[in-house]
Amino acid sequence: MNTHIVWHQSTVTRGQRERQNGHKSFILWFTGLSGAGKSTLAHRVEQLLFEQGCRTYVFDGDNVRHGLCSDLGFSAEDRCENIRRIGEMSKLFVDAGVIALTAFISPFRRDRDLVRALVEPGDFVEIFCDAPLEVCEQRDVKGLYRKARAGEIPEFTGISSPYEKPLAPEITVRTGEDGLDECAGQILEYLEKNGKINLKTTR
């Protein structure tokens, strides 16, 4: 880092933003295989939080690679850099008082742990979207597994590149078995129980 760069402290604090918003800010980090339902679930949870008046934003893996990370490939090094960038961006959103929801395969534990280390304890909520590989392949909505099996996509997670399951995620949702609203409800229940949100209505 350039030693001439100095962090400029904001006159509006994260705490003030949280009080204005009426909720805590934090990261909901959805991880799992391609086809496990990360993006679908993240957007459903965002919708429910939005309806509760929460300030939210979803960072989707494909969307981020259209802009912020458009220069990156899918090598182990590029995957690491991809997660580093989104981790730093999510940290800024937390400081802004926003609930950042991220939907990334993020296959390596060390990368997810690095993002966790960027923020204060409790600010990183790891959500493991647990769906067996065979279920994800059956869904294969983008046709990626078929291409990976045919050798058209190198270093594809779950086929030719490993996925390291979280060892102690805050939340595990069985996206291969349970319905969308059941999984979303499990997440909101965790957030309310742990004092991160106050639900205004009974679901």
Side-chain angles (χ1 to χ4, degrees), residues 52-104:
Q52 291 288 327
C54 296
R55 307 284 190 235
T56 62
Y57 194 80
V58 175
F59 293 96
D60 177 86
D62 282 354
N63 293 353
V64 167
R65 282 184 175 272
H66 275 90
L68 179 65
C69 297
S70 61
D71 59 321
L72 299 177
F74 290 91
S75 67
E77 294 78 11
D78 281 0
R79 286 174 182 268
C80 180
E81 175 61 15
N82 184 56
I83 298 305
R84 187 196 70 80
R85 291 183 192 180
I86 199 60
E88 292 286 356
M89 182 65 71
S90 298
K91 179 183 177 181
L92 293 175
F93 269 62
V94 169
D95 188 56
V98 176
I99 300 171
L101 303 90
T102 75
F104 293 83

Side-chain angles (χ1 to χ4, degrees), residues 5 10 25 36-37 39 43 49 58 67 77 103 132 136 140 144-146:
I5 298 175
S10 174
S25 58
S39 293
H43 283 284
L49 290 173
V58 175
E77 294 78 11
C136 295
D140 202 14
L144 299 178
Y145 282 102
R146 178 180 52 79

Side-chain angles (χ1 to χ4, degrees), residues 22-178:
H23 61 80
K24 300 284 188 182
S25 58
F26 48 88
I27 300 169
L28 293 178
W29 192 277
F30 295 78
T31 178
L33 293 169
S34 177
K38 300 179 299 299
S39 293
T40 301
L41 181 56
H43 283 284
R44 179 56 179 156
V45 171
E46 183 192 33
Q47 182 66 43
L48 294 172
L49 290 173
F50 181 81
E51 290 171 0
Q52 291 288 327
C54 296
R55 307 284 190 235
T56 62
Y57 194 80
V58 175
F59 293 96
D60 177 86
D62 282 354
N63 293 353
V64 167
R65 282 184 175 272
H66 275 90
L68 179 65
C69 297
S70 61
D71 59 321
L72 299 177
F74 290 91
S75 67
E77 294 78 11
D78 281 0
R79 286 174 182 268
C80 180
E81 175 61 15
N82 184 56
I83 298 305
R84 187 196 70 80
R85 291 183 192 180
I86 199 60
E88 292 286 356
M89 182 65 71
S90 298
K91 179 183 177 181
L92 293 175
F93 269 62
V94 169
D95 188 56
V98 176
I99 300 171
L101 303 90
T102 75
F104 293 83
I105 295 172
S106 47
F108 305 123
R109 292 190 194 106
R110 67 174 184 273
D111 295 339
R112 300 193 298 266
D113 289 344
L114 284 173
V115 178
R116 184 186 292 273
L118 287 175
V119 294
E120 297 296 319
D123 285 350
F124 183 90
V125 179
E126 188 174 37
I127 302 170
F128 176 35
C129 296
D130 188 5
L133 177 61
E134 56 269 23
V135 172
C136 295
E137 285 202 70
Q138 288 168 7
R139 293 172 175 172
D140 202 14
V141 293
K142 301 175 185 178
L144 299 178
Y145 282 102
R146 178 180 52 79
K147 292 179 180 179
R149 291 288 188 189
E152 297 175 25
I153 304 178
E155 300 184 273
F156 189 81
T157 302
I159 303 299
S160 52
S161 184
Y163 176 77
E164 298 173 355
K165 294 182 179 182
L167 298 177
E170 279 72 20
I171 306 171
T172 297
V173 284
R174 309 291 180 184
T175 53
E177 304 171 12
D178 299 333

Side-chain angles (χ1 to χ4, degrees), residues 26 28 30 41-42 45 49 101 125 127 129 171-173 180-193 197 203:
F26 48 88
L28 293 178
F30 295 78
L41 181 56
V45 171
L49 290 173
L101 303 90
V125 179
I127 302 170
C129 296
I171 306 171
T172 297
V173 284
L180 179 61
D181 283 337
E182 183 175 353
C183 293
Q186 185 180 342
I187 294 167
L188 263 63
E189 182 179 352
Y190 171 91
L191 296 177
E192 185 174 38
K193 182 179 179 180
I197 60 171
R203 288 176 280 109

